[in-house]
Amino acid sequence: MSSLLPSARPTDAQDELLRRFVEAARRAQIVTIVNRAQTVKELGELVTAELCEAFEAEVAIVLAGWDDGPLFVVGSYGLRSEEAERITRQDLLDPAAETPQRAEGFDLLSVGARALICAPFGGRPVRGVVGVARFYDQSFDEAEAALLEAVAASIGHAVERLRLTEEREQLYRDAHERGKAARVIGSIADGVLLVDDARIVRLWNPAAEAITGLSRDVVLGRLLEEAIPAWSAIAESLVVANDPASSCVRATTVPVEIAGRELWLSIRGVGFADGTVYAFHDLTEAHRLEQLKADFIATVSHELRTPLAAVHGAAKTLQRDDVVVGGEVFERLLTVISEQSDRLAAMVNNILLASRVDSPELEVGTERVEVAALTADVLAAVRALANEGLTLELVAPPSLPPVAGDREKLRQVLTNLVANAAKYSPAGGRIQVELKPHDGALDIFVRDEGLGIAKAEQSLIFEKFYRADANMTRGVSGSGLGLYISRELVKRMGGTISVESLPGEGSTFVVTLPLATPAS
Ligand code: ADP
């Protein structure tokens, strides 16, 4: 570093005035540099270079330490970094010294220096020492000691000021990063759960709240196994990876009972130094559908097998050479074949219809439909197949406005509802269809006195493949598609369908359809 200032070592001892002037200027220059530095590192680099210039020395070093911690190199000039590091481990200065100390020798600082001066600075929280050394035989005088003492004090203040600034900036950066991370965690769709070493929940994001229904107030700060007791049972089956980037962060799908509900969660865990973070998403719906599909395949196979066996048996009997099938038996066997193949066809049609009923390609017409006549037809058709202990009746005002809809699709809906009413009334009873117009719409009530439907299942029975509790419907055949098809068809006709039921007392299904406008 170049300096425009004259030498700090006046050769003329008489010229005290000049000497003082030079030293004041040197001091001002060093203080300016000290104050200009933006970081502790920059301070170290600038000030040591300037110290060598000002003291006509070859080596300068500034060491500092926070509180009682070890000293580190703020900056050095004329030393290799390992030499500077080694000096941090030497006692440069008597720890009790409060004023600059000077030394002369042949190998000072173990770098061959001949003259050394060290000045302490600070106390708490920052303390340190500034050292300047010459390789030539010229010891430091009193004036230089005074200059170094003053310079050391301002370096001490600067180190402390810069350290605070750096700490503040680091805190700001950390807070900013944390804020960013919190925003990301807050907005992702996966539930995120973080537990510390003691398994206390430290983070529970909004998705975790939404998936589990447990608010952060009841989870945060509590033992995980206490907040979610079912976690103890699944903890062992979860794979917790140690490296988030590793490909072995495998998700495990497990059922977890939370607040009385069974959720199927796909959970990944990653361990880190202070705890574990789990990310999870909800597969309950997907799992339920899988289950329903599996049940559907099982019931449908069963349902198809019964009529198939009847058709097969009747055909085989007709084919036998050894048995002469008489007229009446012959007719009965043909009726079995015809009725059972109708049943098979209806079932296959239902399955096909269910697969496209929610697609826009399915055509649903809008015509004027006389519902009373249509219902009478449906009741007659079901009555023919229903068991004897059932009474079927139609209750309707003498004249009714027509509804706007698709006649054949509505026939299918009503057949479904009335056939269900018959199917789920194994002990017989009354089935009543009541038609009631009101406010531009027609309500069609289909009532039975059968098994009824549990409250929890009333919203589920309209789902594809859903069949209510097997115990209740045991022995009653079905595929779980009828109400799904009915709901979709009614929706397409601009209407609604709902159910009210008391288990053991019966059910009432209500279809509401818009009335046809006079012109339509
Ligand atoms: P399924 O082919 O099983 O009858 P649906 O979709 O028509 O299929 O009905 C779904 C489920 O709703 C049935 O399995 C049954 O448990 C229940 N359900 C429908 N109608 C009635 C009713 N009238 N009474 C009692 N339960 C009914």
Side-chain angles (χ1 to χ4, degrees):
M1 167 161 303
S2 66
S3 169
L4 297 173
L5 293 167
S7 162
R9 299 196 51 77
T11 46
D12 185 356
Q14 304 300 315
D15 199 352
E16 183 61 21
L17 202 60
L18 177 62
R19 179 191 161 91
R20 281 192 185 177
F21 168 75
V22 169
E23 273 173 5
R26 287 250 175 258
R27 187 170 156 182
Q29 173 136 342
I30 296 173
V31 169
T32 307
I33 282 172
V34 164
N35 289 335
R36 206 172 57 207
Q38 300 283 327
T39 63
V40 173
K41 184 168 178 281
E42 190 187 359
L43 171 76
E45 282 168 9
L46 292 177
V47 89
T48 49
E50 184 60 25
L51 283 170
C52 285
E53 181 81 21
F55 285 83
E56 292 187 345
E58 283 78 18
V59 168
I61 186 164
V62 177
L63 305 177
W66 318 133
D67 303 315
D68 292 328
L71 291 178
F72 65 92
V73 181
V74 174
S76 70
Y77 189 90
L79 293 170
R80 289 199 298 270
S81 61
E82 61 274 18
E83 289 169 337
E85 278 305 322
R86 198 185 57 228
I87 293 171
T88 60
R89 296 187 291 276
Q90 296 174 354
D91 284 331
L92 250 195
L93 198 67
D94 173 0
E98 287 181 0
T99 52
Q101 293 187 336
R102 284 170 280 172
E104 282 92 37
F106 293 99
D107 187 24
L108 297 170
L109 300 178
S110 311
V111 293
R114 311 290 291 267
L116 173 69
I117 181 165
C118 294
F121 64 78
R124 265 171 183 277
V126 175
R127 64 183 205 296
V129 54
V130 184
V132 181
R134 291 186 183 125
F135 284 154
Y136 60 96
D137 233 351
Q138 172 75 62
S139 53
F140 293 92
D141 63 19
E142 283 298 326
E144 285 171 322
L147 174 60
L148 193 67
E149 190 173 14
V151 165
S154 45
I155 289 175
H157 290 133
V159 170
E160 189 173 341
R161 172 177 57 79
L162 292 172
R163 181 179 93 126
L164 287 177
T165 311
E166 282 172 15
E167 261 179 14
R168 207 174 46 233
E169 279 168 5
Q170 187 58 43
L171 282 177
Y172 174 78
R173 275 197 299 274
D174 288 353
H176 186 71
E177 282 304 312
R178 273 202 301 275
K180 222 160 62 182
R183 278 197 301 281
V184 171
I185 289 173
S187 63
I188 57 177
D190 274 17
V192 178
L193 152 67
L194 190 148
V195 287
D196 65 14
D197 275 348
R199 309 284 295 163
I200 304 286
V201 181
R202 296 295 174 200
L203 193 146
W204 186 250
N205 74 341
E209 289 186 321
I211 292 170
T212 62
L214 296 176
S215 80
R216 58 201 300 272
D217 307 343
V218 299
V219 177
L220 281 187
R222 287 180 66 193
L223 257 178
L224 174 58
E225 280 74 11
E226 199 180 286
I228 307 174
W231 202 275
S232 334
I234 60 161
E236 281 206 351
S237 55
L238 300 180
V239 183
V240 176
N242 287 323
D243 173 10
S246 108
S247 55
C248 63
V249 185
R250 259 196 305 122
T252 316
T253 303
V254 279
V256 190
E257 195 185 313
I258 297 179
R261 281 195 306 149
E262 186 187 67
L263 296 177
W264 281 79
L265 300 182
S266 165
I267 309 176
R268 282 163 209 272
V270 176
F272 60 102
D274 310 313
T276 309
V277 60
Y278 296 98
F280 54 90
H281 59 270
D282 190 4
L283 290 183
T284 312
E285 188 53 26
H287 182 265
R288 199 177 66 83
L289 274 179
E290 276 306 309
Q291 193 61 44
L292 285 177
K293 267 190 209 161
D295 290 353
F296 170 74
I297 291 169
T299 31
V300 162
S301 322
H302 176 78
E303 293 288 306
L304 292 175
R305 205 177 294 134
T306 317
L308 264 179
V311 171
H312 183 73
K316 279 278 174 208
T317 312
L318 286 173
Q319 272 180 338
R320 277 169 69 168
D321 296 334
D322 56 333
V323 184
V324 182
V325 180
E328 198 187 318
V329 178
F330 183 78
E331 283 304 320
R332 230 185 30 240
L333 289 175
L334 284 185
T335 311
V336 167
I337 293 177
S338 143
E339 278 180 7
Q340 295 303 322
S341 41
D342 279 353
R343 200 173 141 192
L344 277 173
M347 222 179 285
V348 172
N349 281 342
N350 246 7
I351 296 171
L352 287 176
L353 181 57
S355 70
R356 59 195 184 104
V357 73
D358 54 358
S359 105
E361 278 155 36
L362 181 83
E363 279 178 28
V364 178
T366 313
E367 53 199 314
R368 297 162 71 86
V369 185
E370 302 292 344
V371 181
L374 184 67
T375 310
D377 273 5
V378 168
L379 287 173
V382 175
R383 190 177 292 122
L385 301 170
N387 75 41
E388 315 230 307
L390 280 169
T391 332
L392 286 87
E393 66 177 29
L394 170 62
V395 177
S399 87
L400 259 183
V403 298
D406 182 313
R407 184 176 294 104
E408 287 317 303
K409 303 281 186 297
L410 183 54
R411 182 194 301 279
Q412 186 156 8
V413 172
L414 294 177
T415 306
N416 230 328
L417 295 180
V418 178
N420 270 356
K423 224 163 61 169
Y424 297 104
S425 299
R430 197 158 56 122
I431 294 171
Q432 184 195 65
V433 182
E434 189 186 357
L435 309 179
K436 258 191 189 173
H438 74 93
D439 306 329
L442 179 74
D443 283 342
I444 308 169
F445 297 88
V446 181
R447 301 194 177 92
D448 67 59
E449 299 170 342
L451 296 170
I453 304 154
K455 185 100 204 132
E457 290 179 314
Q458 289 175 12
S459 59
L460 299 172
I461 55 175
F462 295 98
E463 298 291 313
K464 209 188 249 177
F465 308 137
Y466 193 87
R467 302 203 72 212
D469 190 342
N471 285 332
M472 257 178 65
T473 55
R474 193 186 301 158
V476 184
S477 62
S479 58
L481 291 176
L483 288 181
Y484 167 70
I485 293 172
S486 302
R487 182 189 66 182
E488 294 302 311
L489 291 179
V490 169
K491 221 191 308 182
R492 291 288 299 275
M493 289 188 264
T496 59
I497 184 167
S498 60
V499 65
E500 275 180 25
S501 179
L502 277 180
E505 297 199 8
S507 316
T508 301
F509 284 82
V510 192
V511 174
T512 304
L513 287 172
L515 292 179
T517 52
S520 68

